[in-house]
Amino acid sequence: MVVEDILETWRLVIVILVLSLIASLLFITMLRWVAKPMVWISILGVIAALSYGVYYSYTRYDYISKHPVESHVNVSPNLSSLVESWLKSEKVWLWILVILSIVLVVLLLVVLVLRKRIVIAIALVKEGSKAVSAIFSTVFFPIIPWLLHIAVIVFSIVVGLYLASIGEPVYRVYGLNATQSCVCDNAYRDGDICDPTTFNAHCQNRMIRGGICTDAACHFQEIDSPKEVGYFHA
């Protein structure tokens, strides 16, 4: 289920968090000497990343909208498969495209309009870095609340994942109306609730003897959770 992925990758998550902490400390230290270039590089890096995100989101949205059936595959109800299913939805990529575009435009306007104030902010950051270096213990104090925040976030995520995994997976037939090669002998229709094993057994590619359907699939949709689970989410 969705918790399995977390249990398998928790070591990697901890390593990434520790590396992020070290990188943050190094960044604060380096601001004392190279505040101006690092701030501008950070701003330009964010703009470049957002620009690439907009481009990539558009290409994925365009591809999925032109190949709707090809982008759907049979998946199982674990966390990685859920994410994969979301990333194969053109609506998800459209939302990502819109959000990234708005953030990019707002950031560009802020940088253009407030560039003089950014220069002043850089000077303040440089002086702040000097103050932190003079009292170096202030660098390590935030680690304590940071660890507490991480503990609360991890606990919330684990509880949420357990709640999300309660229920039965729901699969639906997808792509039968868009293909002539896939034929089902058990009266499956597009949108019907299905079972992947039953679908593969009764739906065959008539172009290839004994071949499985490639243009249609029994696609995972959601976890059908009891109504009581909704109260815990609230």
Side-chain angles (χ1 to χ4, degrees), residues 99-210:
I99 293 173
L100 291 181
S101 300
I102 293 174
V103 174
L104 177 61
V105 171
V106 171
L107 180 59
L108 288 174
L109 291 176
V110 169
V111 172
L112 292 175
V113 174
L114 302 178
R115 59 186 182 278
K116 292 184 178 179
R117 295 193 178 185
I118 292 176
V119 174
I120 298 175
I122 290 173
L124 294 175
V125 168
K126 189 174 182 179
E127 294 301 320
S129 179
K130 291 180 180 179
V132 170
S133 300
I135 311 174
F136 205 68
S137 60
T138 57
V139 175
F140 296 97
F141 173 76
I143 295 178
I144 298 175
W146 178 79
L147 292 175
L148 295 176
H149 292 161
I150 292 298
V152 173
I153 292 172
V154 169
F155 175 77
S156 302
I157 292 175
V158 171
V159 172
L161 291 176
Y162 271 109
L163 290 175
S165 64
I166 297 175
E168 296 295 330
V170 177
Y171 297 83
R172 292 188 182 275
V173 178
Y174 185 90
L176 279 181
N177 291 344
T179 181
Q180 300 294 328
S181 61
C182 186
V183 178
C184 298
D185 58 12
N186 61 346
Y188 266 153
R189 293 180 298 177
D190 229 27
D192 287 351
I193 295 177
C194 60
D195 178 81
T197 304
T198 305
F199 181 88
N200 292 332
H202 292 274
C203 299
Q204 304 293 327
N205 189 340
R206 65 179 182 178
M207 301 297 182
I208 304 174
R209 178 175 295 180

Side-chain angles (χ1 to χ4, degrees), residues 15 25 28 35 55 62 70 77 92 116 141 143 192 228:
V15 171
L25 294 176
I28 293 174
Y55 165 76
D62 184 62
E70 181 182 341
V92 171
K116 292 184 178 179
F141 173 76
I143 295 178
D192 287 351
E228 293 78 7

Side-chain angles (χ1 to χ4, degrees), residues 10-168:
W10 66 271
R11 294 181 181 85
L12 179 61
V13 172
I14 292 177
V15 171
I16 292 175
L17 291 175
V18 172
L19 291 177
S20 301
L21 175 62
I22 295 174
S24 300
L25 294 176
L26 291 176
F27 185 80
I28 293 174
T29 304
M30 293 179 65
L31 285 176
R32 180 176 182 179
W33 299 283
V34 287
K36 185 174 182 178
M38 290 196 68
V39 170
W40 280 111
I41 289 174
S42 300
I43 294 174
L44 295 177
V46 172
I47 293 175
L50 287 173
S51 301
Y52 178 77
V54 171
Y55 165 76
Y56 183 77
S57 301
Y58 173 76
T59 56
R60 291 300 302 165
Y61 168 75
D62 184 62
Y63 178 82
I64 294 175
S65 61
K66 292 179 179 178
H67 306 82
V69 177
E70 181 182 341
S71 300
H72 287 78
V73 295
N74 289 331
V75 294
S76 57
N78 55 36
L79 183 58
S80 59
S81 296
L82 283 171
V83 174
E84 182 182 358
S85 177
W86 294 335
L87 295 180
K88 290 182 181 294
S89 170
E90 60 178 311
K91 292 182 179 180
V92 171
W93 284 109
L94 179 60
W95 276 106
I96 294 175
L97 174 62
V98 171
I99 293 173
L100 291 181
S101 300
I102 293 174
V103 174
L104 177 61
V105 171
V106 171
L107 180 59
L108 288 174
L109 291 176
V110 169
V111 172
L112 292 175
V113 174
L114 302 178
R115 59 186 182 278
K116 292 184 178 179
R117 295 193 178 185
I118 292 176
V119 174
I120 298 175
I122 290 173
L124 294 175
V125 168
K126 189 174 182 179
E127 294 301 320
S129 179
K130 291 180 180 179
V132 170
S133 300
I135 311 174
F136 205 68
S137 60
T138 57
V139 175
F140 296 97
F141 173 76
I143 295 178
I144 298 175
W146 178 79
L147 292 175
L148 295 176
H149 292 161
I150 292 298
V152 173
I153 292 172
V154 169
F155 175 77
S156 302
I157 292 175
V158 171
V159 172
L161 291 176
Y162 271 109
L163 290 175
S165 64
I166 297 175
E168 296 295 330

Side-chain angles (χ1 to χ4, degrees), residues 1-10 77-79 161-162:
M1 303 301 286
V2 294
V3 182
E4 295 176 358
D5 299 288
I6 298 297
L7 296 177
E8 292 178 359
T9 60
W10 66 271
N78 55 36
L79 183 58
L161 291 176
Y162 271 109

